[in-house]
């Protein structure tokens, strides 16, 4: 199996993303977005250890980490619900699913949809067992192993999408993934994903980015926070683009026909997205083919 190796990135390096899935999984549970099965002991421990750091960042710099996590999760949810209810989407693929409760929530709300969760093999096996024990696993809700760095073979994107009906609309989600990789890796993934999605009657891709917002009133503190996140997750946490327009242009260059970049602070009030004193740092990207 050929594997992408860009700027020193190896499959071992990509595996460091999984521990953060436990932390965010506990955040979703803590805010009533998931069930107890998704709140791992490791996630609870990580949240407790990081609580003083999160409190200090919020108190000193106005950087509310959980607010950004909730904004991205809830806004992706809102766009997905609209795609299902108004766009006729019946297939959803969530790559780097970790301990995301989204598949469970969406299958409860829309039992007619097929929901495929995917992650690196070890994390996928854990998620599959979690769903099996709870009785949630089935033909329409399954977990597959994938490595976004794999160009071919059983862990490739082509293998992941092979089991879907290309005559029906599909939504693909990656949450909490892209900012762990350098820009060349992100854009190689986008090109590979766009190539796979061209075969579907209609396709939408939802993800989030933290752009390098130099005009943000707390930019220096933001850079400090990015450095800290990189240390805590044992890797870098690069900010790839300096504007919403740059994100949209990059998405189009990678093969997407239409790219919208959504600021949570500018979304309708009825979405009930958490707001703070400072402008949001996260942006949701909605790309279509």
């Amino acid at each position: 199996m050929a594997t992408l190796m860009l700027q020193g990135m190896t499959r071992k390096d990509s595996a460091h993303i999984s521990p953060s899935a436990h932390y965010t999984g506990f955040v979703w549970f803590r805010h009533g977005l998931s069930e107890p099965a998704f709140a791992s002991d490791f996630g609870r421990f990580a949240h407790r250890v990081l609580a003083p750091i999160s409190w200090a960042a919020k108190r000193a710099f106005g950087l509310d980490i959980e607010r950004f996590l909730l904004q991205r999760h809830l806004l992706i949810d809102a766009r997905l619900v609209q795609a299902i209810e108004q766009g006729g989407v019946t297939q959803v693929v969530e790559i780097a699913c970790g301990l995301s409760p989204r598949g469970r929530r969406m299958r409860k709300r829309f039992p007619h949809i097929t929901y495929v969760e995917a992650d690196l093999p070890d994390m996928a096996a854990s998620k599959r067992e979690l769903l099996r024990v709870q009785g949630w696993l089935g033909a329409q809700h399954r977990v597959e192993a994938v490595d976004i760095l794999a160009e071919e073979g059983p862990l490739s994107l082509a293998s992941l999408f092979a089991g879907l009906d290309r005559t029906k609309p599909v939504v693909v989600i990656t949450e909490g993934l892209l900012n762990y990789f350098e820009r060349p890796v992100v854009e190689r993934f986008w090109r590979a994903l766009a190539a796979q999605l061209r075969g579907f009657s209609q396709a939408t891709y939802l993800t989030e980015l933290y752009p390098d917002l130099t005009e943000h009133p707390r930019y220096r503190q933001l850079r400090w926070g990015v450095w800290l996140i990189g240390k805590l997750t044992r890797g870098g946490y690069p900010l790839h683009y300096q504007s919403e327009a740059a994100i949209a242009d990059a998405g189009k260059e990678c093969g997407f026909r239409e790219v919208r970049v959504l600021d949570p602070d500018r979304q309708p009030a009825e979405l009930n997205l958490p707001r703070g004193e400072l402008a949001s740092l996260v942006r949701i990207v909605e790309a279509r083919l």
Side-chain angles (χ1 to χ4, degrees), residues 178 181-191 240-241:
L178 298 185
F181 296 101
E182 297 291 343
R183 179 170 172 172
V185 179
V186 170
E187 294 184 357
R188 176 66 72 89
F189 165 62
W190 281 355
R191 290 188 185 96
H240 307 104
Y241 306 98

Side-chain angles (χ1 to χ4, degrees), residues 38 100 103-104 117 126-138 141-143:
F38 294 100
S100 168
R104 167 64 175 163
E117 304 197 45
S126 297
K127 188 65 170 291
R128 188 181 301 112
E129 180 64 10
L130 184 157
L131 296 180
R132 186 195 66 79
V133 168
Q134 298 297 323
W136 300 334
L137 201 64
H141 190 181
R142 58 185 187 269
V143 183

Side-chain angles (χ1 to χ4, degrees), residues 17 21 94-100 117-120 123 146 148 173-177:
I17 298 174
E94 185 170 1
I95 299 173
C97 62
L99 290 174
S100 168
E117 304 197 45
D119 213 313
L120 292 167
M123 189 67 232
V146 73
I148 68 167
I173 297 168
T174 62
E175 181 182 5
L177 174 67

Side-chain angles (χ1 to χ4, degrees), residues 27-35 38 69-70 73-74 77 100-102 105:
V27 171
W28 310 151
F29 170 72
R30 181 170 179 264
H31 289 273
L33 295 174
S34 70
E35 299 174 57
F38 294 100
L69 293 176
L70 291 169
H73 197 75
L74 292 171
D77 276 0
S100 168
R102 183 177 287 114
R105 284 204 315 273

Side-chain angles (χ1 to χ4, degrees), residues 3-221:
T3 303
L4 212 60
M5 302 289 186
L6 295 180
Q7 298 193 359
M9 178 65 68
T10 66
R11 185 171 288 109
K12 183 178 179 180
D13 294 327
S14 68
H16 79 273
I17 298 174
S18 293
S20 66
H22 292 276
Y23 173 82
T24 54
F26 184 75
V27 171
W28 310 151
F29 170 72
R30 181 170 179 264
H31 289 273
L33 295 174
S34 70
E35 299 174 57
F38 294 100
S40 69
D41 291 339
F42 181 84
R44 192 182 305 271
F45 169 77
H47 188 274
R48 185 168 62 249
V49 168
L50 294 177
I53 297 174
S54 299
W55 177 87
K58 183 177 180 180
R59 184 69 177 268
F61 308 129
L63 300 178
D64 189 341
I65 297 173
E66 291 197 22
R67 171 194 161 207
F68 303 143
L69 293 176
L70 291 169
Q71 283 184 328
R72 84 184 194 196
H73 197 75
L74 292 171
L75 187 48
I76 289 175
D77 276 0
R79 301 309 298 166
L80 175 57
V81 167
Q82 183 179 65
I84 294 171
E85 292 182 339
Q86 300 180 22
V89 165
T90 58
Q91 303 177 108
V92 182
V93 179
E94 185 170 1
I95 299 173
C97 62
L99 290 174
S100 168
R102 183 177 287 114
R104 167 64 175 163
R105 284 204 315 273
M106 294 299 161
R107 283 278 300 139
K108 286 177 65 177
R109 183 170 178 178
F110 305 105
H112 67 285
I113 68 171
T114 294
Y115 205 104
V116 180
E117 304 197 45
D119 213 313
L120 292 167
D122 289 346
M123 189 67 232
S126 297
K127 188 65 170 291
R128 188 181 301 112
E129 180 64 10
L130 184 157
L131 296 180
R132 186 195 66 79
V133 168
Q134 298 297 323
W136 300 334
L137 201 64
Q140 288 180 271
H141 190 181
R142 58 185 187 269
V143 183
E144 305 288 350
V146 73
D147 185 339
I148 68 167
L149 306 181
E151 295 179 312
E152 59 185 32
L155 296 182
S156 66
L157 292 176
S159 179
L160 177 63
F161 287 101
L164 297 178
D165 187 342
R166 292 180 179 266
T167 67
K168 297 179 180 179
V170 65
V171 169
V172 178
I173 297 168
T174 62
E175 181 182 5
L177 174 67
L178 298 185
N179 276 98
Y180 288 100
F181 296 101
E182 297 291 343
R183 179 170 172 172
V185 179
V186 170
E187 294 184 357
R188 176 66 72 89
F189 165 62
W190 281 355
R191 290 188 185 96
L193 179 61
Q196 291 298 320
L197 295 183
R198 286 191 193 101
F200 287 85
S201 62
Q202 178 183 324
T204 302
Y205 171 50
L206 295 169
T207 191
E208 102 287 349
L209 284 172
Y210 294 84
D212 195 12
L213 300 174
T214 56
E215 76 280 4
H216 195 279
R218 297 288 179 86
Y219 179 72
R220 290 185 180 180
Q221 292 88 343

